[in-house]
Amino acid sequence: MRAIAGLSLLLLAGCDKATEPGFAEAPEVSRHTVAYLKSLCDGRSSAAVTQDITIRGFITANDLYGEFDRTIVVEDPSGGIAIAAGHPSLADDYPFGAVATVRCNGLTLCNYGGKIELGSEPGDYGAEAIPRDELSRYIRVTLPEEGERHRAAPLTFGEVSARHIDTRVRFDGVRFADAGKTWCDTDPETGRTVATERTIVDAGGNEFTVRSAATCAYAKEPLPSGTGSLYGIIDYFAGKYTLRVTNREVVFSRTATPYTAHSAYQTPDPGARERHVTVATLPRAYLSVVGCSAPRPTK
């Protein structure tokens, strides 16, 4: 309940235009797909967005459980895109399952290792983060409209292609080849966890790589045993696809850890999970309808 009350106050506070740079409404003609936006950077290392382009999609990844540090992923039917955001607790203001409308004019597309990202400007490691105090100018968060739902696309390893980059997918009937190890390795000199790749195997013996960030909350926990389903974002770098688990969605037949549930707004995918609070559990009245900016950062 505390999480609901806190997020409700943030959303209400977003309507205070006197103290916050507002999210300016864009004409309908400026609405484009994520795929179109990404195409503006085809064959280039970076491209400044100078047109009035708006995209709208579900937030399918954030820093909940430390999985995508200072990053959210926004997905529409055409594809997904990672957005670098300078906010230390994005999940509070940009929760999994909410709908994000992003005004891209003034931002920059960057090609990092063959994947297109969106941020404030080019950096050495992809797009630089949009400063926290400017996020509300570019991104607005609302509940899904009546009947809107997002479900992870069920795929086999062999079906993964460029169009799936930064989209949320589901692999069924898989097991960890590294069962018994932890999600992330530990640097023996510093004692800190490091980004780590593990291998999953399907019923046919085909393999795929799961990459976990050193910042994820369950980095030192053991990988699940048995067979089950993994949900996550398809990542890409220098010719290699990997899966990055989102929202700690891991549904295995035998596991000592109760992994979390789907958002309440979604039709549940197969498997039993715990339910957790998302923006979908909030009354619609708390959200911006006309003229309100995105939630005001508080930290």
Side-chain angles (χ1 to χ4, degrees):
M1 292 300 295
R2 183 179 302 171
I4 294 176
L7 185 53
S8 299
L9 289 173
L10 287 171
L11 291 165
L12 287 171
C15 294
D16 183 2
K17 289 188 173 183
T19 57
E20 196 70 21
F23 180 94
E25 290 292 339
E28 190 65 27
V29 293
S30 72
R31 178 74 58 80
H32 291 278
T33 65
V34 169
Y36 172 79
L37 174 67
K38 293 166 73 171
S39 73
L40 301 179
C41 199
D42 283 352
R44 306 167 67 180
S45 60
S46 65
V49 181
T50 57
Q51 309 169 45
D52 210 6
I53 294 175
T54 302
I55 59 172
R56 179 183 183 278
F58 287 99
I59 297 174
T60 54
N62 56 24
D63 60 1
L64 189 66
Y65 305 112
E67 293 162 335
F68 283 71
D69 186 45
R70 298 177 193 265
T71 301
I72 62 171
V73 176
V74 174
E75 180 181 345
D76 72 8
S78 74
I81 189 166
I83 302 175
H87 190 314
S89 53
L90 283 165
D92 292 343
D93 292 350
Y94 304 92
F96 180 89
V99 170
T101 302
V102 185
R103 289 205 68 179
C104 304
N105 194 349
L107 299 177
T108 301
L109 294 161
C110 296
N111 184 327
Y112 182 57
K115 186 179 86 164
I116 307 302
E117 305 171 338
L118 185 66
S120 61
E121 59 184 358
D124 293 335
Y125 302 99
E128 293 287 347
I130 303 167
R132 182 174 180 174
D133 59 0
E134 295 182 15
L135 284 172
S136 62
R137 181 178 304 163
Y138 294 107
I139 306 173
R140 182 178 65 182
V141 176
T142 58
L143 280 175
E145 293 179 359
E146 192 72 28
E148 273 192 311
R149 293 179 178 177
H150 178 276
R151 295 193 66 175
L155 294 181
T156 64
F157 300 162
E159 290 174 328
V160 175
S161 66
R163 69 186 181 89
H164 297 113
I165 295 173
D166 278 332
T167 66
R168 182 168 163 266
V169 305
R170 184 181 89 224
F171 290 143
D172 295 323
V174 300
R175 63 178 176 82
F176 277 95
D178 314 290
K181 292 185 178 180
T182 55
W183 285 87
C184 292
D185 292 330
T186 300
D187 185 321
E189 293 186 2
T190 65
R192 297 177 180 174
T193 53
V194 295
T196 303
E197 294 184 351
R198 302 296 188 205
T199 301
I200 51 175
V201 183
D202 65 14
N206 304 298
E207 297 183 347
F208 202 86
T209 300
V210 175
R211 182 174 177 83
S212 300
T215 53
C216 75
Y218 45 92
K220 295 184 178 181
E221 295 180 13
L223 295 168
S225 60
T227 302
S229 299
L230 284 179
Y231 296 71
I233 298 294
I234 295 295
D235 205 354
Y236 179 87
F237 184 78
K240 182 177 182 178
Y241 295 103
T242 58
L243 181 77
R244 295 182 61 184
V245 171
T246 57
N247 220 31
R248 203 175 180 179
E249 290 178 293
V250 182
V251 187
F252 272 56
S253 57
R254 295 189 301 276
T255 177
T257 304
Y259 292 93
T260 54
H262 250 303
S263 307
Y265 76 89
Q266 292 180 311
T267 300
D269 290 307
R273 307 175 184 81
E274 295 177 344
R275 185 174 182 274
H276 70 277
V277 173
T278 69
V279 70
T281 63
L282 295 176
R284 190 175 295 271
Y286 283 122
L287 287 156
S288 165
V289 178
V290 178
C292 297
S293 67
R296 176 189 291 131
T298 58
K299 295 181 181 178

